[in-house]
Amino acid sequence: MPVRDRNQSAQALQVHGRLFLLDCGEGTQYAMVRHHVPMMKLDSLFLSHIHGDHVFGLFGLLSTLGMKGRQTPLNIFAPVNFGPILKFFLSYYGDGIGFEIRYTPLKMKEPETILETKNLRVQAFPLNHGIETFGFRIEEKEPLLNVDKEAIGRYGLTLTEIGSLKRGEDVVRADGTVIPVSAAAYKPYEPRSYAYCSDTAPFPQEALWLKGITVLYHETTYLQELADQGAQRHHSTTLQAAQLAKDAGVGKLLIGHYSSRNTDIADYQAECRSVFPESYATSDGETYDI
């Protein structure tokens, strides 16, 4: 339900020069303008499910992209039952869309890779929300090693030897000299990951599928006192999300998708932190570094 200063579900994720949009609730394009998110650079859109608070902003966003003259194809990953919605939109408003929409229907029963680049891997996995609903796990691949510039001069490394070191292979020269990776190369960063889980009630495989995530966003529609409503409506409570984060060993938990009956989100954060201290109640417009 509408709440002052609280928009519907939508998150922008910028990673390795790509801009991903996770869900597209009502007012998303206005929020992108307000918070200086460059919508023309949007690479891929991931829709968790077709409930209105997650998709009602899509038609406006697609139309605006068309009016702005977008030519680059747009990837949309969404459940199978999104297909008729997209077909309806295109049948009435498609003439104003001058770019290709590449729709990939989601229908997996366990985590599957749906998008892969040189640096990234995106997996989708089913959630427990009463209708087809999917979560998304975006993670960096193991990076190539960087070769220390001083080591290049010190050992007189050739391009072939530099390539071997970047792949994590020791250099063995014809005269038997060994240049170990540890002496000349280093990992530029530890791979980071982000997962988006909205909306869902708890289910047995969730902690396993989210194991080791750097930053997890998980819905907490209800405070713990309304756990019975959460079960009836296939949503999570604060303590359920916090326990999941603890069981999965995630680095940080971001929470949101609060019930419209609650205007003070401090209670949500407090309940989560009683189980998982690295919990943060999100508000519109905030930015988090992963």
Side-chain angles (χ1 to χ4, degrees), residues 7 14 24 31 40 42 52 61 64-65 78 94 140 144 151-152 154 158 164 183 192 197 207 210 216 225 234 254 270:
N7 287 323
Q14 299 189 61
C24 191
M40 290 294 281
L42 183 60
L61 176 61
T64 298
L65 292 176
E140 292 175 317
L144 290 175
I152 294 176
R154 184 167 63 251
T158 66
S164 296
R192 294 152 291 187
C197 293
L210 296 171
L216 166 66
E225 65 183 7
H234 294 90
L254 306 182

Side-chain angles (χ1 to χ4, degrees), residues 148-161:
D148 193 300
K149 290 182 180 179
E150 292 185 359
I152 294 176
R154 184 167 63 251
Y155 295 110
L157 297 171
T158 66
L159 290 176
T160 300
E161 291 172 338

Side-chain angles (χ1 to χ4, degrees), residues 56 58-67 84-99 101:
F56 279 170
L58 182 62
F59 287 5
L61 176 61
L62 294 178
S63 296
T64 298
L65 292 176
M67 291 180 66
I85 297 174
L86 180 60
K87 183 178 180 181
F88 165 81
F89 169 75
L90 292 175
S91 69
Y92 280 91
Y93 306 104
D95 289 345
I97 305 298
F99 57 92
I101 296 177

Side-chain angles (χ1 to χ4, degrees), residues 21-67:
L21 190 64
L22 300 158
D23 280 337
C24 191
E26 184 178 354
T28 293
Q29 65 172 327
Y30 293 100
M32 294 178 80
V33 171
R34 187 180 308 116
H35 300 299
H36 309 289
V37 179
M39 65 176 70
M40 290 294 281
K41 294 185 178 181
L42 183 60
D43 178 288
S44 299
L45 174 59
F46 302 88
L47 298 177
S48 61
H49 62 302
I50 64 168
H51 280 162
D53 58 324
H54 296 258
V55 300
F56 279 170
L58 182 62
F59 287 5
L61 176 61
L62 294 178
S63 296
T64 298
L65 292 176
M67 291 180 66

